[in-house]
Amino acid sequence: MSARAMVLWCPDWPVIAAEIVDGTPATDPVAVLHANRVIACSAAARAEGVHPGLRRREAQSRCARLTVVDHDPARDARAFEPVVAAIEQMVAGVEVLRPGACAVAARGPARYFGGEDQAAEQIVEHLAQSCEVECQIGVADGTFAAGLAARAGRIVAPRGSAAFLAELPLRVLGRPELTDLLRRLGLRTLGDFAALPARDVLARFGPDAALAHRLAAGRDEQPFTPRHPPPELAVTADYDDPLDRVDVAAFAARALAEQLHDRLGGHGLACTRIGIEAVTAHGQELHRRWRHDGVLTAAAIADRLRWQLDGWLTGGADRRPGTGGRPVPAAPTAGIIRLRLIPDGVLARAALQPGLWGETGEEGARAHRALSRVQGLLGPESVVTAVAGGGRSPIDRIRLVPWGDERVPARPDGRPWPGRLPAPAPAIVLPVPLPVEVYDAAGGPVTVSARLALSADPARLTVDAAAPVDIIGWAGPWPIDERWWAPTEAHRRARFQVALADGTALLIARAAGRWVVEAIYD
């Protein structure tokens, strides 16, 4: 049986963090958006029909007074740091699961306060008084079950986690691709998934699904037993110039996270919990531990280190309106001169070992080291990589992120953006559209009516000042009518694909009474 765990969960934490840091009132209708979808909302917004998963337009149509806030994990972590510090005043060994949720072993608080119920009440009351933050606590066998129990404010009886989890939907696993696959196989609940033979799950779906299978069955231990890492796996970095700015510290955090990940990979290991230690120029020591139900990638380690440094360095800069100036953890009195990452829980994973001759991932590792070196010389923004974004035009569907940052698509579920162009995608997207003139067979200009009707079939076009080229084929129109509810931001245009006699294929658009070339097909 898994050890009893206690998870503290702050509902709607991204909304609360926006109030603490930015002053956006959480009592108003507020929605936090990521990739144009709601990921959290206030109680007032839910009363108007807003809920996570809605698109921005749908959420705003349901609630005209809705305040939209962009998702900012660093802001969430920075605002959560005083909450973690307040919990540590009552219990030891706090592990941050994510901003807004943390876990502790239930045995110690239960023995000290006289039971799990009494411990939960004392912690909730302490946070309400010290931070003016509402929270819910769940207790169960294992952190995963306790986290779900916290959302219901339940204390699950010992050995009752499997029964508690059995009726929950598969989406609570937090693995959309696996969830979609299991649903197509006819499975609907965690109990259905847990009933599958563990050996078959590992063979068919891989190690991550095997871990999810154990969680669904109420067994919180990883498939490979975590062991205490030897001291040489920890990585340390000393800085001659103290780190006192969040952006500088974040850049240093990425390099240290990569160093730890490479060291673990060299030993065929993966990390599940990470300890973060910092020492300031005045000798102040800071400690925090982060936990993850799966395997921490290099990007995930860097994110958690960056969030933690943000929380430490900003300290008491963020005060929630209405707290009456209650004390919150102050920022360090000096910059950080030493950072140390300790892999507090590791898994022996043969799949992570390099090939016999080192060929597996070798080219990618060399490229990563080279690009990271360029960033070290010229800055993080000097090397960027493309990520599929949300949009209906080719230039909107790609966004550039610095090399090494998390590459999250706008739609992780893979669903197409409504109104996007059909395949194939153009090979070259022009940053500045070129003017073009489109003519019919008689030499007159071709126009598009408000009802998307062409004045005549396009027969030839002239790009900029070049000679006219015959059009041998065309398709369209594909209309776009964006932000029609905001007159100053409204944008309406009709797009066409045209094939020219010289072998060129173009994406052209008609907007505001003129034609432009937006992209070129290969």
Side-chain angles (χ1 to χ4, degrees):
M1 182 180 70
S2 300
R4 298 287 285 175
M6 178 180 293
V7 170
L8 179 144
W9 173 64
C10 298
D12 308 326
W13 183 252
V15 176
I16 301 301
E19 179 183 51
I20 295 173
V21 178
D22 300 330
T24 304
T27 55
D28 293 348
V30 178
V32 180
L33 269 70
H34 176 63
N36 210 47
R37 283 187 178 271
V38 176
I39 62 170
C41 58
S42 63
R46 284 194 294 273
E48 299 286 341
V50 179
H51 59 79
L54 285 182
R55 298 188 183 92
R56 176 194 292 261
R57 181 181 296 183
E58 176 66 19
Q60 290 176 325
S61 67
R62 294 189 180 191
C63 180
R65 301 181 298 115
L66 187 67
T67 300
V68 174
V69 178
D70 289 334
H71 179 47
D72 185 355
R75 177 188 61 210
D76 298 348
R78 183 165 69 250
F80 195 55
E81 177 60 22
V83 178
V84 179
I87 299 172
E88 287 184 326
Q89 295 174 358
M90 302 190 69
V91 296
V94 179
E95 295 182 354
V96 181
L97 304 176
R98 61 187 176 278
C102 58
V104 297
R107 181 181 179 184
R111 294 181 64 181
Y112 183 80
F113 292 105
E116 294 173 345
D117 290 318
Q118 293 82 352
E121 292 177 1
Q122 291 289 336
I123 295 173
V124 169
E125 183 178 357
H126 176 68
L127 289 181
Q129 294 180 353
S130 61
C131 302
E132 292 194 359
V133 168
E134 296 182 359
C135 68
Q136 296 179 191
I137 289 182
V139 182
D141 301 331
T143 305
F144 176 72
L148 296 176
R151 294 179 176 271
R154 288 187 53 181
I155 295 180
V156 181
R159 301 183 184 276
S161 291
F164 165 69
L165 295 171
E167 299 302 321
L168 297 180
L170 291 169
R171 58 179 172 79
V172 301
L173 289 171
R175 294 163 169 84
E177 293 183 1
L178 177 62
T179 298
D180 181 64
L181 177 58
L182 295 176
R183 284 174 176 169
R184 285 187 275 124
L185 294 176
L187 306 180
R188 294 292 180 268
T189 64
L190 295 185
D192 297 338
F193 184 35
L196 298 178
R199 180 178 300 179
D200 294 343
V201 172
L202 176 62
R204 173 64 179 84
F205 304 114
D208 185 67
L211 170 60
H213 181 260
R214 294 181 63 86
L215 297 178
R219 300 190 301 272
D220 209 35
E221 295 297 327
Q222 279 80 6
F224 302 94
T225 303
R227 61 183 179 85
H228 188 73
E232 66 271 11
L233 291 182
V235 295
T236 304
D238 295 314
Y239 306 98
D240 295 331
D241 296 327
L243 305 177
D244 54 6
R245 288 172 44 193
V246 175
D247 55 346
V248 177
F251 187 70
R254 186 193 307 172
L256 196 62
E258 291 288 350
Q259 183 181 348
L260 174 63
H261 189 264
D262 291 344
R263 181 171 296 184
L264 291 173
H267 290 78
L269 300 174
C271 182
T272 59
R273 293 191 305 274
I274 189 75
I276 303 173
E277 296 181 357
V279 179
T280 70
H282 290 171
Q284 182 181 3
E285 296 184 358
L286 306 170
H287 308 271
R288 184 68 72 237
R289 184 165 59 177
W290 287 75
R291 177 188 176 94
H292 187 54
D293 285 331
V295 173
L296 286 167
T297 63
I301 295 173
D303 284 342
R304 282 153 180 79
L305 180 53
R306 174 168 52 86
W307 298 341
Q308 189 59 59
L309 291 174
D310 194 354
W312 278 336
L313 293 176
T314 54
D318 302 320
R319 293 180 181 270
R320 184 175 182 177
T323 59
R326 289 201 176 104
V328 295
T333 57
I336 294 173
I337 60 172
R338 174 175 296 175
L339 280 177
R340 190 164 187 253
L341 287 181
I342 306 169
D344 195 41
V346 294
L347 304 176
R349 296 284 294 274
L352 298 179
Q353 295 176 355
L356 183 60
W357 290 278
E359 72 277 5
T360 303
E362 185 177 356
E363 296 82 359
R366 285 202 305 267
H368 178 75
R369 287 193 294 270
L371 296 176
S372 298
R373 190 175 300 114
V374 173
Q375 285 182 314
L377 295 173
L378 303 178
E381 303 293 336
S382 61
V383 181
V384 295
T385 182
V387 179
R392 298 168 179 83
S393 296
I395 197 168
D396 297 328
R397 292 176 59 191
I398 296 296
R399 60 187 179 91
L400 300 177
V401 299
W403 176 261
D405 283 5
E406 190 175 5
R407 303 177 73 251
V408 180
R411 289 204 166 189
D413 56 9
R415 289 184 296 162
W417 195 273
R420 71 171 188 174
L421 287 168
I428 300 175
V429 179
L430 302 177
V432 179
L434 294 176
V436 64
E437 298 294 338
V438 181
Y439 304 98
D440 57 22
V446 176
T447 60
V448 182
S449 70
R451 295 182 176 272
L452 302 176
L454 289 171
S455 60
D457 289 345
R460 64 182 57 85
L461 60 76
T462 301
V463 179
D464 209 354
V469 182
D470 290 340
I471 297 175
I472 60 175
W474 61 278
W478 289 281
I480 293 181
D481 191 2
E482 297 177 308
R483 304 193 65 82
W484 47 267
W485 62 91
T488 59
E489 303 176 10
H491 186 65
R492 191 170 189 266
R493 67 184 184 274
R495 299 159 295 167
F496 298 81
Q497 294 170 331
V498 296
L500 306 182
D502 61 2
T504 306
L506 305 175
L507 174 65
I508 62 175
R510 175 81 173 184
R514 65 188 187 96
W515 291 93
V516 294
V517 178
E518 292 187 341
I520 303 172
Y521 291 91
D522 190 351

